[in-house]
Amino acid sequence: QKEVEQNSGPLSVPEGAIASLNCTYSDRGSQSFFWYRQYSGKSPELIMSIYSNGDKEDGRFTAQLNKASQYVSLLIRDSQPSDSATYLCAVNDSGGSNYKLTFGKGTLLTVNP
Amino acid sequence: DAGITQSPRHKVTETGTPVTLRCHQTENHRYMYWYRQDPGHGLRLIHYSYGVKDTDKGEVSDGYSVSRSKTEDFLLTLESATSSQTSVYFCAASQGSYEQYFGPGTRLTVT
């Protein structure tokens, strides 16, 4: 059973701080990693993808990948109250095709004004 | 906007009745997926489709069936609804990559 683990939170940070969200995965063959943001009562929205070791930056978001440690993280700089949401980590299933993903249970982030 | 709609958006039904949820997409995505999301379990894959009339089971497929007769439509059927199938159901689609885009969801309550 492939697993993707995240701290459930809640993670609470003050406005303007850096929020750090972490994810570990069990499938050593995985090559594609995603972060989704899900507001309460809404559907998941893809915000970041990363495929290579290292950092990938997009605006205030930075995804970090370390395949040797099977670890993915998402940093949110200058956190805003509008960033308050649940963040889902998703990892591709390497054993087959059809582009399946395994999702973590999500980390609830609260940004306090 | 990935052009994915789901209907109905909310439904209340009684135990033992059949229920069909519809996912419709306008972007000609080849791959479509049905998930359920429950507190403490996250998103779990029910069934998926890799083309018209081509479907396969996910990790929580018992009690569910699917059909895909057209590229744009993917139907999820609960053959005899049970209270354990009370959940939020999401459809997702992808165009031959691991990037999946989600519909707005259907909240189903089985009483």
Side-chain angles (χ1 to χ4, degrees):
Chain A
Q1 179 77 10
K2 300 178 175 67
E3 294 183 345
V4 177
E5 300 288 342
Q6 298 181 252
N7 289 329
S8 62
L11 174 64
S12 183
V13 301
E15 183 174 355
I18 297 175
S20 178
L21 305 163
N22 304 314
C23 171
T24 60
Y25 59 95
S26 65
D27 185 351
R28 187 166 288 278
S30 294
Q31 298 291 326
S32 303
F33 307 87
F34 305 93
W35 285 98
Y36 286 80
R37 177 177 62 200
Q38 186 175 23
Y39 292 115
S40 180
K42 302 297 186 182
S43 60
E45 173 193 9
L46 180 63
I47 57 171
M48 288 288 286
S49 59
I50 187 166
Y51 305 97
S52 303
N53 280 329
D55 295 359
K56 178 182 178 182
E57 186 174 318
D58 184 0
R60 295 185 296 110
F61 298 96
T62 298
Q64 299 175 315
L65 174 60
N66 183 327
K67 291 182 184 178
S69 300
Q70 295 176 245
Y71 178 89
V72 191
S73 66
L74 179 70
L75 301 179
I76 306 174
R77 291 183 301 281
D78 188 24
S79 295
Q80 301 297 309
S82 59
D83 295 325
S84 298
T86 297
Y87 289 81
L88 307 176
C89 174
V91 177
N92 77 288
D93 288 358
S94 68
S97 57
N98 299 316
Y99 302 103
K100 291 187 290 181
L101 298 175
T102 298
F103 286 82
K105 295 177 183 178
T107 297
L108 176 61
L109 172 66
T110 300
V111 180
N112 301 304
Chain B
D1 183 0
I4 300 172
T5 58
Q6 293 184 232
S7 59
R9 295 292 313 281
H10 301 271
K11 185 170 183 67
V12 180
T13 191
E14 294 185 348
T15 298
T17 60
V19 176
T20 295
L21 309 182
R22 180 185 185 229
C23 178
H24 179 78
Q25 53 109 348
T26 59
E27 302 290 330
N28 202 36
H29 292 297
R30 177 181 173 187
Y31 299 86
M32 298 183 75
Y33 310 83
W34 276 108
Y35 293 90
R36 60 178 290 175
Q37 188 174 41
D38 305 286
H41 290 279
L43 279 165
R44 292 181 290 174
L45 183 64
I46 305 171
H47 281 279
Y48 62 96
S49 170
Y50 47 97
V52 174
K53 299 191 188 311
D54 292 323
T55 65
D56 205 348
K57 297 178 179 180
E59 65 176 297
V60 290
S61 59
D62 287 349
Y64 301 95
S65 62
V66 291
S67 65
R68 191 166 178 205
S69 58
K70 299 185 291 185
T71 298
E72 57 265 36
D73 289 326
F74 192 31
L75 304 181
L76 176 71
T77 297
L78 289 65
E79 291 146 11
S80 178
T82 68
S83 58
S84 65
Q85 293 176 312
T86 292
S87 187
V88 180
Y89 291 86
F90 289 104
C91 173
S94 78
Q95 188 61 282
S97 77
Y98 286 106
E99 295 186 357
Q100 293 183 15
Y101 297 91
F102 283 80
T106 295
R107 184 173 297 274
L108 176 68
T109 302
V110 183
T111 61

